[in-house]
Amino acid sequence: MGESRPGRWLVTCDHASNRVPDWVGAGSLGIAPEDMARHIAWDVGAAGLTRALAEALDSPAILSDFSRLVIDPNRGEDDPTLVMRLYDGTIIPANRYLDDVGIEERLARLYRPYHSAYAQLAARREDTVIVAIHSFTPCLKGRPPRPWHVGVLHSHLDSRFSLPLIARLQAEADLCVGDNEPYNGHLPGDAIDRHALAVGRHNTLIELRNDLIATESQQHAWAARLAPILQEVLAGL
């Protein structure tokens, strides 16, 4: 969306949707609707934040249109978690016995077209900065609550943008900011590795706790808060 916007940012959302295409299990992965609404199927609130942030930055965005449980576009093609069989206590019946032929179909029809469109948008300017938007659940099953409001994930291969962004966010008195929390920021073959690290583009990945961006008003408020911070950090590089 917003391909004609002039800004140098590309705002991405790899886990924007919980949609299951009708050619995959007749539109069902065999799990309950309440599980499909959880973080295991998509990043709750991330799509709305992505759209609002891209608009605030006057830049394009790209959002997936399929559930991460069908195939995860933020994994390399050879990653064992590309198609999850079990996630946060939920078995995914449609994936449990999926063979290589089934995985290849999902790669060809969903994963690769997404990354092709991603690459085209990223290449529209030589100075593109990629900001990947994700969200995380406040608490995984059987685990302690996560204290962070926002996390910034980054690779040891390129933290030029992320480290000053972390410092700037930590200056906000009301925020608990995670540095490579709640996840490690580098996964070989993931979207940032593929579209930013491999070609030397400035990049960062922002994780918002999903209860903070559950509503449209919260999403717009966070976009309005993050956009000038991102611009400030970029101007200081």
Side-chain angles (χ1 to χ4, degrees), residues 6 16 55 73 92 119 131 137 144 147 154 156 173 175 178 181 185 193 201 210 215 230:
E55 184 175 359
I92 319 301
V131 178
T137 185
H154 53 99
H156 63 285
L175 294 183
E181 297 287 359
D193 189 37
R201 291 188 178 108
N210 64 26
T215 68
L230 290 166

Side-chain angles (χ1 to χ4, degrees), residues 4 8 18-19 22 33 59 66 92 101 116 150 165 168 190 215 231 237:
S4 63
R8 67 180 288 192
N18 61 356
R19 183 182 75 93
D22 57 10
S59 295
F66 52 91
I92 319 301
V101 173
S116 177
V150 57
L165 176 60
R168 176 61 183 82
D190 68 9
T215 68
Q231 297 277 33
L237 294 181

Side-chain angles (χ1 to χ4, degrees), residues 130-164:
I130 294 176
V131 178
I133 298 297
H134 291 255
S135 71
F136 63 94
T137 185
C139 188
L140 292 169
K141 288 184 176 180
R143 303 285 185 88
R146 291 161 158 173
W148 311 283
H149 300 105
V150 57
V152 176
L153 276 56
H154 53 99
S155 169
H156 63 285
L157 299 174
D158 183 5
S159 296
R160 291 172 296 166
F161 189 90
S162 294
L163 291 180

Side-chain angles (χ1 to χ4, degrees), residues 27-141:
S28 172
L29 295 173
I31 65 176
E34 53 266 30
D35 273 328
M36 286 303 299
R38 292 203 302 133
H39 68 99
I40 65 171
W42 62 331
D43 281 359
V44 177
L49 173 58
T50 297
R51 294 187 184 98
L53 183 59
E55 184 175 359
L57 294 169
D58 200 19
S59 295
I62 184 166
L63 299 89
S64 67
D65 65 351
F66 52 91
S67 173
R68 66 191 297 174
L69 292 181
V70 176
I71 193 163
D72 193 335
N74 196 35
R75 297 291 184 272
E77 290 195 18
D78 58 352
D79 192 299
T81 65
L82 179 69
V83 177
M84 294 290 282
R85 271 75 173 176
L86 172 70
Y87 195 175
D88 196 21
T90 296
I91 293 172
I92 319 301
N95 295 347
R96 194 170 185 183
Y97 301 110
L98 189 68
D99 59 14
D100 290 344
V101 173
I103 293 174
E104 178 59 33
E105 182 178 23
R106 297 184 191 185
L107 283 167
R109 297 180 68 170
L110 299 171
Y111 179 102
R112 291 178 187 139
Y114 173 75
H115 282 289
S116 177
Y118 192 141
Q120 289 179 29
L121 280 174
R124 85 197 195 288
R125 291 182 54 145
E126 292 184 359
D127 60 352
T128 294
V129 181
I130 294 176
V131 178
I133 298 297
H134 291 255
S135 71
F136 63 94
T137 185
C139 188
L140 292 169
K141 288 184 176 180

